[in-house]
């Protein structure tokens, strides 16, 4: 009798139907081709030796900079006139004695290598192995392939940088005894998002070269050449050109101002310069401008720390430049991949 009541109970029927709908929905989501490809790409990246080696290298350098900043934290905080003294925890990310670069400088140097390593053979290796033809012969949309490549690498980069930031904050609290206030925590989160955006640009650039060049070695060398040019040689080249056009002794203030503004604008073409300017402004709240200031703009200014909102307003051109560069590289990669003859 009890069994008959259970079978005829309308509530049990509703629960049973609801469970079946949930099971169908979850099965359909899990079997979606795009997310299956993303999971497969993430697994391939995580198991690769190049990712493991770069992960260990970045983790060691980050904790090396933490040790270096901890050794000189008291010296950095001893200056009572420093407007950044109220942001003592941020000193862990910026303080250094010169023997090792600070945390954000290391991220700016090693981050592009991580993006390049995840994308330089994204397409050409699949094409050379013949797996791209087999994938495209399946009943899936063609753009799933390049979208899955980008999404999987971006998930790995985001997870890595948020993990590193939280570990850095945790070890900083344990070792120094300092606790970040809410404003400092938001600045660290903003810097982490900026780092992800910066690495995403280099990831998209390396994916673009992996579509353009058939050989993985060619795309890797091209990506590293671009990185070296903007990291080292671009600044040297601009300085040489700037010295050739330096204003004469009789130049007025307006000419000197325009000269500095022009060459600083050219420097901002480099993604490294955009990242350095933005990260410095976010982690050092007393920075009030990234360009040359006239005498009237500096007159009466009191050295003080800015709020996070004001710092974001200052770095908004740098953020816009990085976002535009990243979107442009992805759009070019998408266009070239969709127009490419895969079966050739």
């Amino acid at each position: 009798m009890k069994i008959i009541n259970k079978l005829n109970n309308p509530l049990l029927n509703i629960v049973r139907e609801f469970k079946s709908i949930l099971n169908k929905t979850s099965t359909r989501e899990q079997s979606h081709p795009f997310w299956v490809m993303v999971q497969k790409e993430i697994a391939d990246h995580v198991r690769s030796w190049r990712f493991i080696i770069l992960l260990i290298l970045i983790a060691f350098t980050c904790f090396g900079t933490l040790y270096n900043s901890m050794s000189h934290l008291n010296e950095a905080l001893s200056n009572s006139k420093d407007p950044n003294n109220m942001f003592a925890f941020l000193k862990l990310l910026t303080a250094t004695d010169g023997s090792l670069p600070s945390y954000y400088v290391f991220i700016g140097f090693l981050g592009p290598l991580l993006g390049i390593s995840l994308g330089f053979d994204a397409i050409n290796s699949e094409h050379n192995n013949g797996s791209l033809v087999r994938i495209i012969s399946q009943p899936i949309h063609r753009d799933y392939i390049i979208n899955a490549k980008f999404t999987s690498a971006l998930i790995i980069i985001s997870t890595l940088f948020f993990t590193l930031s939280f570990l850095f904050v945790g070890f900083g609290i344990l070792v120094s005894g300092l606790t970040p206030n809410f404003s400092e925590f938001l600045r660290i989160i903003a810097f982490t998002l900026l780092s992800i955006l910066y690495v995403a640009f280099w990831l998209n650039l390396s994916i673009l070269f992996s579509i353009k060049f058939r050989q993985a070695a060619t795309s890797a060398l091209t990506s590293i050449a671009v990185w070296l040019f903007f990291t080292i040689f671009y600044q040297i080249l601009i300085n040489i050109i700037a010295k050739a056009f330096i204003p004469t002794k009789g130049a007025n203030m307006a000419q000197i101002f325009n000269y500095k503004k022009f060459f600083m604008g050219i420097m901002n073409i480099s993604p490294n310069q955009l990242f350095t300017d933005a990260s410095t402004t976010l982690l050092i709240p007393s920075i009030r401008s990234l360009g040359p200031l006239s005498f009237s703009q500096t007159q009466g200014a009191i050295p003080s720390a800015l709020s996070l909102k004001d710092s974001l307003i200052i770095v908004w051109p740098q953020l816009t430049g990085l976002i535009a560069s990243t979107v442009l590289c992805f759009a070019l990669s998408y266009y070239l991949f969709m127009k490419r003859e895969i079966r050739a």
Side-chain angles (χ1 to χ4, degrees):
M1 190 64 184
K2 290 182 179 178
I3 295 175
I4 293 174
N5 289 335
K6 285 183 179 178
L7 291 174
N8 295 329
N9 192 339
L11 290 177
L12 288 177
N13 290 333
I14 292 173
V15 171
R16 195 177 298 115
E17 289 293 329
F18 183 69
K19 286 182 177 178
S20 64
I21 291 172
L22 284 180
N23 290 332
K24 288 179 181 177
T25 304
S26 61
T27 304
R28 187 164 58 248
E29 288 179 353
Q30 289 174 359
S31 60
H32 194 282
F34 176 73
W35 292 110
V36 170
M37 295 171 70
V38 169
Q39 291 173 7
K40 187 258 181 188
E41 292 293 331
I42 291 176
D44 289 345
H45 284 310
V46 172
R47 292 169 185 163
S48 64
W49 277 106
R50 61 187 175 190
F51 174 75
I52 295 172
I53 292 171
L54 268 176
L55 175 64
I56 294 172
L57 180 63
I58 291 175
F60 269 109
T61 52
C62 289
F63 287 108
T65 57
L66 175 62
Y67 174 78
N68 185 37
S69 59
M70 281 295 306
S71 305
H72 300 85
L73 186 62
N74 292 331
E75 183 181 347
L77 295 175
S78 60
N79 186 7
S80 58
K81 295 182 181 179
D82 187 0
N84 299 307
N85 268 347
M86 59 185 297
F87 299 95
F89 197 86
L90 291 180
K91 295 282 186 184
L92 294 177
L93 285 81
T94 57
T96 177
D97 63 342
S99 59
L100 273 178
S102 56
Y103 175 76
Y104 75 94
V105 175
F106 258 124
I107 293 296
F109 185 75
L110 294 177
L113 291 179
L114 177 65
I116 292 171
S117 70
L118 293 177
F120 76 92
D121 62 345
I123 301 299
N124 48 25
S125 65
E126 299 274 4
H127 189 273
N128 295 333
N129 295 334
S131 55
L132 194 58
V133 177
R134 292 198 295 271
I135 295 173
I136 209 69
S137 63
Q138 302 298 317
I140 59 172
H141 297 289
R142 184 167 175 165
D143 58 346
Y144 281 1
I145 299 173
I146 189 166
N147 290 338
K149 297 281 185 185
F150 174 70
T151 305
S152 60
L154 191 63
I155 290 173
I156 290 176
I157 292 168
S158 303
T159 306
L160 172 63
F161 277 97
F162 271 106
T163 304
L164 273 179
S165 296
F166 289 140
L167 282 175
F168 198 93
V169 171
F171 277 104
I173 293 173
L174 288 175
V175 177
S176 67
L178 297 171
T179 304
N181 56 38
F182 187 64
S183 177
E184 287 176 310
F185 182 74
L186 288 182
R187 285 182 179 274
I188 293 173
I189 294 297
F191 169 70
T192 306
L193 292 175
L194 171 67
S195 304
I196 294 170
L197 175 62
Y198 179 56
V199 178
F201 163 74
W202 291 103
L203 168 69
N204 275 313
L205 187 68
S206 61
I207 290 177
L208 174 63
F209 289 142
S210 76
I211 299 171
K212 181 65 179 174
F213 302 109
R214 294 297 179 96
Q215 299 299 323
T218 307
S219 61
L221 287 174
T222 308
S223 302
I224 291 174
V226 174
W227 169 66
L228 281 175
F229 173 75
F230 281 116
T231 304
I232 301 173
F233 300 110
Y234 185 74
Q235 187 175 2
I236 298 173
L237 182 65
I238 294 300
N239 288 333
I240 292 173
I241 297 174
K243 285 182 181 178
F245 292 95
I246 193 167
T248 58
K249 292 183 179 178
N252 54 34
M253 291 300 295
Q255 290 174 327
I256 297 173
F257 181 82
N258 292 331
Y259 165 80
K260 289 185 177 179
K261 189 176 180 181
F262 175 74
F263 281 101
M264 289 189 73
I266 294 178
M267 283 295 296
N268 284 334
I269 294 175
S270 168
N272 303 61
Q273 187 67 34
L274 295 177
F275 174 77
T276 303
D277 288 345
S279 56
T280 305
T281 307
L282 289 175
L283 297 178
I284 304 177
S286 62
I287 293 179
R288 308 178 73 87
S289 175
L290 292 172
L293 294 174
S294 62
F295 180 75
S296 60
Q297 290 174 316
T298 57
Q299 189 175 17
I302 300 172
S304 61
L306 298 180
S307 64
L308 176 60
K309 180 182 176 182
D310 292 333
S311 296
L312 287 174
I313 291 174
I314 292 175
V315 302
W316 185 245
Q318 282 73 21
L319 293 177
T320 306
L322 281 176
I323 292 172
S325 305
T326 306
V327 172
L328 177 63
C329 286
F330 182 77
L332 286 175
S333 304
Y334 189 92
Y335 175 77
L336 291 177
F337 182 74
M338 297 301 286
K339 293 292 183 182
R340 184 171 179 176
E341 179 56 50
I342 293 177
R343 291 180 176 84

